[in-house]
Structures are given as C-alpha cells and as structure tokens.
C-alpha cells in the first residue's frame, strides 16, 4: 500500500490516474470496501478528502451490529442471522425493503469471517444493549468491537490516523498509546491495507463529481492541491464519503432549520460531495430529513459533545419541566428533543444535576471533561447553591424547576418514575449507578446544583442515495446506475427511521461496502 497526496499510477491518455476500483471515503465503510477489493485482486485506489484517514468512524466507539458472527460465538453468545433479522424487522418495519434488511443481516457473519482472515483484523463481543424492547432483542446486546491495539504497532501510520473527537475538535490532550474503539478499527484497517498488494490511499483528494460514458460510471473528478483530476475506475466506484451533516446549505435544504454546529462529524468533511455527485449521475435519494440523532452537551459557541445519556440528573425544558426518560438510548433522546423543537419549545434544554459529581455531567460525554472549571468560567455551564438561583441563571421559572426536582426525588424514593418510566427498560438498567429501589433514579439533594445546556446533535445524516441489496446505486425508478455503488451515510440507511442498536451505522456501512466490492470482483471474474 502506498499513502500519498499525489498520483502513483500511470494513466491512459485523457486520464490523470486509473485503477480498477475507486473508493471515496476512509471511514469504516470505505476502508472495508478498499480492503475487500484489493484482497480480491483488484487494483484499488481510495481517496480521502482530508489529510487524515478514518472519518467519523475514528471518533466512534466502533460498536458493530453484526448478528451471528464468529466473534460472538467465541464469547458464547447464542446469536444468529434469524434472531438479528427478527429484531431488525420488528424495529425498522416496512420503511426499508425486506431485501435490503435481509442482505444486511444475512452477510454479517460472512463479513467478520472474511476480515478475520487478516491477522490485523480482530473483533470481540462487547455487552451493549439493543435499543428497543422488540422481538429478537438481546438485553445485553449483540455488538462486537475491534480489539484494542498499541499505537506503537502502527508506526508512521499514526501520522495519518484521525485522532479522537476531543483531540481533533477541541484540541484536548488525549494520550494515544493504546488505541480503542474507532481509533483501533481504523488503525487495524490501515495495517491490513499496508500488507495487501494493489491498493493505494490518497489523502487530501476530494471527490468532485462522477464521469459517465453511455450511462455507466467510469471514473471520478477529484480535487487535489487546487487541481481538478480525472481518475478512471475501470470496474466500479464505491461512494462512502459520509453524509452531509457538515453542509449548512444541504441541511437547510433537506433538514430546515438544522445547521452544522452541533454535528459530531469532522470539520471540513462530510459535506455531501457524494450525494451531489450521485444525484447528478441520476441516483435516487431517500431519508434526507433523517440523522443519527443524539443529545449533545454544549462546550462552546460552535461545538457540542455527544452524550450517551444521564446516569443521574434530569433534563428540563425551557419551562423547567422534564420531557423524557433521560436514560433513553441517545437516538430516542434526540428524537424527544426534536419533538420539543417541533412543538415550539426552544432548545437548549438543561441537564440538571447536584453536587455529587464535582461539577461534571453524570454520564458519558465525548468531550471527555475531567475538570468543570473551564466551562463554568466561560459561562457555558451554570452553577448555583440553590435550585432557585440556578433557575434564574438559565432563565426557567424557579417554582417549576423546584417542583420538578421535588417530584423526581419522590419518584426516586419510591423507585418508580410515574412520568417517563425511567429504569424500567433493560437499556436504562444497564447504565444505572444508583443505590435506591430503582438504581436509575438518583435523587438531586446536595448543592451546589448545576445546569449544562443540551442541544439536538447528531452522529451524522442517514439519508442518501438509494441502493439495491448489492449496494448498487439505483435511480428514482429503481434501475441500477451501472458502475456506481454506495455505503455508509452516503447510502440511504437500511434502518429507516430508527436506530435499532449500537453499531448499526458502521456495521451496515461495512457490510454494504463489502458487498459492493464483492459484486465488482464477481463481474471481473476475480
């Protein structure tokens, strides 16, 4: 594998570069597609818009929702394709086609077995509950994750691996000695690609359009160092550049009044390049109003950090009232925030918690804060000795906030949340830290009290180009666009309007990118 920002292959006249398979994007989907194509003997080129590889996947925990795979079996988990498909159908319903759902779940085991054929690609089961109480659910989850890896094993590849969100977006000092989650997944793929012949990775090379001949996609336009290039793809193009969460223009068009401030995507990436290119080539689209929603803690005027949910504390709206179970899976909390906004209740809401946490939000926050003082000093987070004082600082009615906390504390004492049933679902209980009759309900009693603004964030958009069950891009009429494939957030998600479980975004991206490369290889006789 060569890694460069320049051309490394001779090209035919009229082309600046050429390959069999061109993959655009370097997240979990793009890396899987490139590895599969190269492993099948195809001359493969991956282009990445930014100077760093990994996309939003590098920020993630890298849970992978892949039912029935051999990593689960090694742990003793009794999962299967049928159980996974039962659950997916029960949650997604008919919003996406049965054939697409079957293709996803039916190829999960094949994908993991194929990847683990490389010594660098290793996975393990990690407990993390499915998100809905539906047939086929695993209360402790069915996801697998990449095995951790020492950063030293990557050597100079660390220079091109996108850092974690806190390091990349906030400039935080985050040790990079032991790679976990998305860092480990991307790092392992880079190692695997380095040992696989016939693959080139070109960073700082942005997709700028598709080239068609007689209706077939035969290459791409790309921008590199201010120059527009023509790169031929003899066998096919796989689009896996993420969604359009980084584009204010596209978000206003498809998701008004959304803007890009609160997304978790890398700055300057995921701006809808592949979406625009696919539409220009005749592709259909779906789900463009949808995102992988999440609650996000505001850390400054232009950034908010994904939070997994509250282990204690409550969320209150502008009226000082609770509006949801704060322990819901993050996409469902995000949808509750969306419902508030739709109903005319302004955001942010506020995460109210007491003085038992030294000022830090009681739950996972991707900013990885270890000290609340910078955020309190900046005025973004608020603190007061009394609830009335806190209410004044955040502009909510003091009597409403006090009554809300008193009502919640009564629920905690009784062990039952009569308003939103917090602690009754397996997901809530998995993260519970309290000691009372309902460990998900922790009373707010000790001052000082804190308020952290929470906005509607996202882990990326989930609408995109329509595809068939082999990841071939289709037109609005359902015909295939020859030579063109899509995966990940460039593709209209197989999960439709829901987020079924941890790892569906990256897991499905990897499966469909793998299927795209396999389809190309079959057509080439490889």
């Amino acid at each position: 594998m060569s890694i460069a920002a320049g051309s490394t292959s001779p090209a035919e006249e009229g082309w600046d570069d050429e390959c069999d398979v061109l993959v655009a994007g370097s997240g979990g989907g793009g890396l899987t597609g490139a590895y599969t194509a190269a492993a099948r003997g195809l001359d493969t080129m991956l282009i990445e818009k930014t100077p760093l590889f990994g996309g939003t996947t590098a920020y993630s925990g890298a849970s992978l929702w892949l039912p029935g795979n051999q990593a689960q079996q090694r742990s003793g988990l009794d999962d299967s394709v049928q159980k996974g498909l039962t659950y997916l159908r029960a949650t997604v319903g008919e919003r996406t086609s049965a054939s697409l759902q079957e293709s996803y779940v039916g190829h999960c085991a094949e994908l993991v077995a194929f990847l683990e054929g490389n010594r660098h690609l290793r996975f393990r089961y990690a407990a993390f509950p499915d998100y809905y109480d539906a047939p086929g659910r695993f209360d402790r989850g069915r996801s697998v994750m990449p095995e951790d890896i020492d950063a030293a094993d990557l050597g100079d590849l660390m220079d091109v691996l996108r850092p974690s969100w806190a390091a990349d977006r906030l400039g935080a000092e985050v040790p990079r000695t032991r790679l976990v989650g998305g860092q480990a997944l991307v790092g392992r793929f880079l190692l695997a690609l380095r040992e696989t012949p016939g693959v080139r990775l070109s960073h700082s090379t942005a997709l700028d359009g598709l080239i068609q001949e007689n209706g077939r996609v035969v290459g791409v336009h790309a921008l590199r160092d201010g120059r527009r290039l023509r790169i031929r793809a003899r066998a096919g193009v796989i689009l896996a550049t993420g969604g359009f969460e980084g584009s204010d223009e596209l978000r206003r068009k498809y998701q008004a009044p959304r803007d890009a401030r609160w997304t978790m995507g890398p700055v300057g990436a995921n701006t809808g390049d592949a979406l625009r290119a696919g539409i220009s080539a005749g592709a259909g689209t779906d789900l463009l109003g949808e995102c992988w929603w999440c609650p996000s803690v505001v850390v400054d005027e232009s950034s908010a950090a994904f939070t997994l949910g509250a282990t204690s504390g409550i969320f209150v709206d502008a009226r000082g009232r609770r509006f949801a179970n704060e322990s819901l899976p993050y996409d469902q909390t995000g949808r509750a925030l969306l419902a508030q906004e739709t109903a005319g209740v302004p955001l942010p809401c506020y995460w109210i918690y007491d003085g038992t946490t030294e000022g830090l939000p009681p739950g996972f926050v991707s900013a990885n804060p270890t000290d609340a003082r910078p955020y309190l000093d900046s005025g973004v987070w608020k603190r007061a000795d009394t609830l009335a004082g806190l209410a004044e600082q955040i502009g909510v009615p003091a009597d409403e906030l006090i009554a809300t906390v008193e009502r919640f504390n009564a629920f905690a004492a009784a062990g039952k949340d009569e308003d939103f049933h917090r602690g009754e679902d397996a997901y809530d209980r998995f993260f519970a830290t309290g000691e009372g009759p309902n460990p998900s309900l922790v009373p707010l009693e000790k001052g000082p009290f804190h308020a952290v603004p929470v906005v509607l964030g996202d882990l990326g958009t989930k609408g995109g180009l329509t595809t068939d069950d082999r990841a071939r891009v289709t037109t609005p009429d359902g015909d295939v666009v020859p030579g063109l494939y899509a995966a990940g957030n460039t593709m209209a998600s197989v999960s439709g309007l829901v987020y079924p479980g941890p790892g569906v975004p990256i897991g499905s991206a990897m499966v469909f990118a793998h299927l795209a490369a396999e389809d190309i290889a079959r057509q080439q006789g490889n």
Side-chain angles (χ1 to χ4, degrees), residues 36 40 66-70 81 103-117 511 514-515 518 522:
T36 301
R40 295 304 190 212
L66 301 168
N69 69 74
Q70 62 192 37
V81 171
S103 186
Y104 171 28
V105 179
H107 290 93
C108 291
E110 167 195 313
L111 172 65
V112 174
F114 171 75
L115 294 178
E116 289 198 328
V511 167
H514 174 70
L515 290 175
E518 291 282 21
R522 277 192 299 270

Side-chain angles (χ1 to χ4, degrees), residues 2 12 32 35 37 108 137 143 157 214 227 251 295 322 392-393 395 416 454 476 488:
S2 64
E12 290 184 0
T32 301
Y35 174 73
C108 291
R137 181 193 202 182
S143 294
L157 290 174
N214 300 318
R227 181 185 173 205
R251 297 198 79 153
R322 291 177 72 210
E392 182 177 0
Q393 289 193 44
K416 184 175 179 60
V454 175

Side-chain angles (χ1 to χ4, degrees), residues 71 129 252 254 289 363 457 463 468:
R252 284 192 296 269
Y254 297 118
D468 66 7

